[in-house]
Amino acid sequence: MTLKISPSSSHHDVRTVPIGDYGFLSDGETTALVSPGGSVDWMCLPRLDSASVFGSILGRHAGSFRIAPADVSVPAARRYLPGTMILETSWGTATGWIIVRDVLVMGPWRHEAEVDREHRRTPTDYDAERVLLRTVRCVSGEVQVVMECEPVLDYGRKAVRWAHTDKGYHQAHGQVEGSDIELTLTTDLRLGFEGGQAGARTLLKEGDVRFVALSWGGRTPPEDYADAYARMVWTAHHWQHWLARGTFPDHPWRTYLQRSALTLKGLTYAPTGAIAAAATTSLPETLGGERNYDYRYSWIRDATFALWGLYSLGFDWEALDFFSFIADLAERDADLQIMYGIGGERDLKEYQLDHLPGYANSRPVRVGNAAYAQRQHDVWGALLDSVYLHSKSADHLDNRIWPILGNQVNAALKHWREPDAGIWEVRGELQHFTSSKIMCWVAVDRGARLASMIGQDAEAAQWELAAEEIKQDILANGLDERGVFTQYYGSTALDASLLLAVLVRFLPPDDPRIRATVLAIADELTESGLVLRYRPEETDDGFSGEEGSFTICSFWLVSALCEIGEYHRARKLCAKLLSFAGPLELYAEEIDTHSGHHLGNFPQAFTHLALINAVQHVIALEKLEEQAADAGPPVAKP
């Protein structure tokens, strides 16, 4: 499973694992990426946005944790145990077969004696155990198995020192001077050390089972295979019970919806309810390029799509938790940022890690994200639309929402006439981006609707008039001669964010300007049928080089085509996009239109949210088509 090397990319390492081939694990506090070759190549502790402990996805010497046969590097098969976040890898060798299972362990709620200061949401029945558990079973013949665990803390800068504990060869303690991360490796294998690597080798015969548990200050790790197996079963049942709370259509595309739901749950930081945009930093949008960002933060703009996706699948509690996280921020900060840390942190200062070569030699590797300080005028619309969605779904607005609402509507009214950096966070000149103006309209329109719902009639009337003024300004300045919405006032460039015009009900789906915009983007802003955010040569985004197609935009196009009645075109595009899923039904941010490879950070919440929206749109229209077909042609009256 190696990248095909084209002549233009000869400097890339042939051993680089394609981004879309990684498996994703989560326990609601941290996440891990596991390569097909059995190596944990990315994991940060204690939170998913902390410094990495295993970082070899960004540099070979930045730490990894591998379990595999001694003489084979490509597995026979990989899958998730159905309905879970447990990854199963099957290996066939010349002499036998083994099955490896990997999981971040979930267990019963464990904070009974003391209150967990980090945890701000309503406690559930379950909690992260802070254990990465890996089990091995030999199912036939015999196989020589190797285990190599080499954590390197602080993004590959601090090697761990290992020492055996009083459990002899079966447990090791690893730490770095000055770090509060303490690691314990517990196993029924026999551990030895070579520098910072703890290793084990053994010949497994049919029926043999082994376990390895890496733990960091949560529950006591399992000390024998029976305990390890019981915890894996508990975790499997936890995920299956969680998934069973959702409502999924009986349809061939159901598994994509279920895996997307599990992935969104996995990208949710349970203590606060925040949804991280992705589990990684600096996976490149172009191989060898500089468009590499840290996405382990929570964007306000994802709020509307997150709530829409979660409510539509029946996950109201998760939607409420994310909504509460955002309401906390809006209550605390008069001036809302576009993004925050998963604990609600404001300052996401960006810096570069020059010691890491980056994925496939794509520098720089960035930590933090300077976009947190940008002015983006879509933020108020995203927030108000999410409040509106929440009030319709929950049939209730808690008493702290009204003052927040007024603040956000007034901010939109104060700033909507000013230029901004736009939804794509361009680092070039500020412009009057049409989609930003539309989201300001959303803020004021939803504010007016919410005000009238709770009897604030004076504000409702005032805001309705203001929303109409913004709408007329957009219709006067944001359209080209063809009646197509353009990227910013006065330009002729297309921008995929204008697909949102129909999804947020700026104009009705049958309005000719909506139809013209959706079809122009479908016909002119695509490569091999996949949608680009914009054409970089037409947009000053502060960077050089090309970028792949943004998968979220392609899924938006599916939803928009459904809205304007282009069902067959929408279904065809949706089927094509689903065929591009990684082998484990996961998506990164972009798809390379030439090779089909996934690019950008992984797995990407925004992509999975848009997938849920698009698939639900197509399935709903499919049902209408079937009902029309079953009804048959109208019968002529005699």
Side-chain angles (χ1 to χ4, degrees), residues 196-454:
Q197 184 183 93
R201 294 191 284 269
T202 193
L203 181 69
L204 294 187
K205 299 187 175 175
E206 187 170 328
D208 285 350
V209 290
R210 297 287 185 271
F211 82 97
V212 185
L214 182 73
S215 53
W216 53 94
R219 250 189 88 191
T220 312
E223 291 187 1
D224 58 38
Y225 183 83
D227 187 9
Y229 182 74
R231 294 199 204 190
M232 191 167 278
V233 169
W234 201 100
T235 306
H237 289 169
H238 155 71
W239 286 116
Q240 288 166 341
H241 289 154
W242 180 82
L243 199 62
R245 276 196 15 238
T247 47
F248 296 93
D250 185 15
H251 189 276
W253 290 350
R254 180 176 59 208
T255 59
Y256 295 97
L257 292 173
Q258 290 178 326
R259 184 51 51 195
S260 291
L262 284 161
T263 303
L264 288 175
K265 179 70 169 167
L267 287 168
T268 302
Y269 182 58
T272 63
I275 299 177
T280 55
T281 180
S282 302
L283 297 187
E285 295 177 18
T286 312
L287 290 183
E290 59 177 330
R291 296 170 190 265
N292 318 321
Y293 308 107
D294 192 346
Y295 273 17
R296 297 170 298 161
Y297 305 113
S298 201
W299 268 255
I300 300 288
R301 100 157 51 93
D302 295 12
T304 309
F305 297 98
L307 294 179
W308 198 98
L310 291 166
Y311 283 132
S312 69
L313 294 175
F315 293 109
D316 295 9
W317 291 346
E318 284 67 26
L320 177 62
D321 282 353
F322 185 40
F323 180 77
S324 300
F325 168 73
I326 288 184
D328 286 350
L329 299 174
E331 197 173 31
R332 181 189 77 188
D333 297 351
D335 197 6
L336 204 61
Q337 294 181 180
I338 62 163
M339 59 192 286
Y340 288 87
I342 54 173
E345 296 82 5
R346 284 180 63 96
D347 186 1
L348 310 178
K349 196 166 165 23
E350 184 178 301
Y351 59 95
Q352 296 183 8
L353 298 176
D354 295 330
H355 66 285
L356 289 174
Y359 176 87
N361 295 323
S362 306
R363 280 193 162 105
V365 172
R366 293 184 171 96
V367 172
N369 196 315
Y372 82 92
Q374 283 189 349
R375 300 296 310 179
Q376 285 179 28
H377 295 170
D378 62 345
V379 65
W380 309 295
L383 179 79
L384 268 293
D385 205 22
S386 66
V387 174
Y388 180 64
L389 261 173
H390 175 67
S391 68
K392 285 206 309 186
S393 299
D395 201 23
H396 162 74
L397 270 188
D398 70 50
N399 55 14
R400 64 182 176 154
I401 295 299
W402 174 245
I404 294 175
L405 205 105
N407 278 344
Q408 303 309 320
V409 174
N410 289 329
L413 289 173
K414 182 179 170 188
H415 296 292
W416 75 267
R417 291 185 181 82
E418 302 163 8
D420 74 330
I423 185 172
W424 306 125
E425 293 159 12
V426 299
R427 299 190 182 188
E429 191 184 338
L430 300 184
Q431 300 285 0
H432 291 279
F433 285 103
T434 308
S435 68
S436 296
K437 308 285 187 200
I438 288 174
M439 292 308 283
C440 286
W441 170 84
V442 168
V444 185
D445 173 77
R446 303 310 191 257
R449 292 178 192 216
L450 286 160
S452 79
M453 276 166 61
I454 54 179

Side-chain angles (χ1 to χ4, degrees), residues 449-484:
R449 292 178 192 216
L450 286 160
S452 79
M453 276 166 61
I454 54 179
Q456 302 284 345
D457 295 338
E459 275 91 350
Q462 185 190 338
W463 290 345
E464 269 171 34
L465 285 172
E468 186 57 30
E469 184 191 354
I470 298 172
K471 178 176 274 188
Q472 293 310 321
D473 188 79
I474 295 165
L475 296 177
N477 298 296
L479 291 157
D480 67 10
E481 294 163 357
R482 304 182 294 170
V484 169

Side-chain angles (χ1 to χ4, degrees), residues 11 16 21 37 82 89 117 160 187 232 269 289 311 381 482 485 495 514 525 533 558 591:
H11 63 290
T16 302
D21 285 3
T89 307
R117 300 252 167 262
V160 164
T187 176
M232 191 167 278
Y269 182 58
Y311 283 132
R482 304 182 294 170
F485 286 105
D495 190 306
I514 287 288
L525 196 60
R533 295 192 297 181
V558 172
I591 291 170

Side-chain angles (χ1 to χ4, degrees), residues 584-620:
L584 295 164
E585 296 188 348
L586 298 173
Y587 285 83
E589 183 176 32
E590 301 184 23
I591 291 170
D592 183 311
T593 53
H594 309 297
S595 67
H597 280 305
H598 289 245
L599 293 168
N601 285 305
F602 180 85
Q604 178 87 0
F606 223 2
T607 308
H608 284 279
L609 290 167
L611 179 155
I612 291 168
N613 192 324
V615 169
Q616 299 267 65
H617 261 97
V618 172
I619 290 174

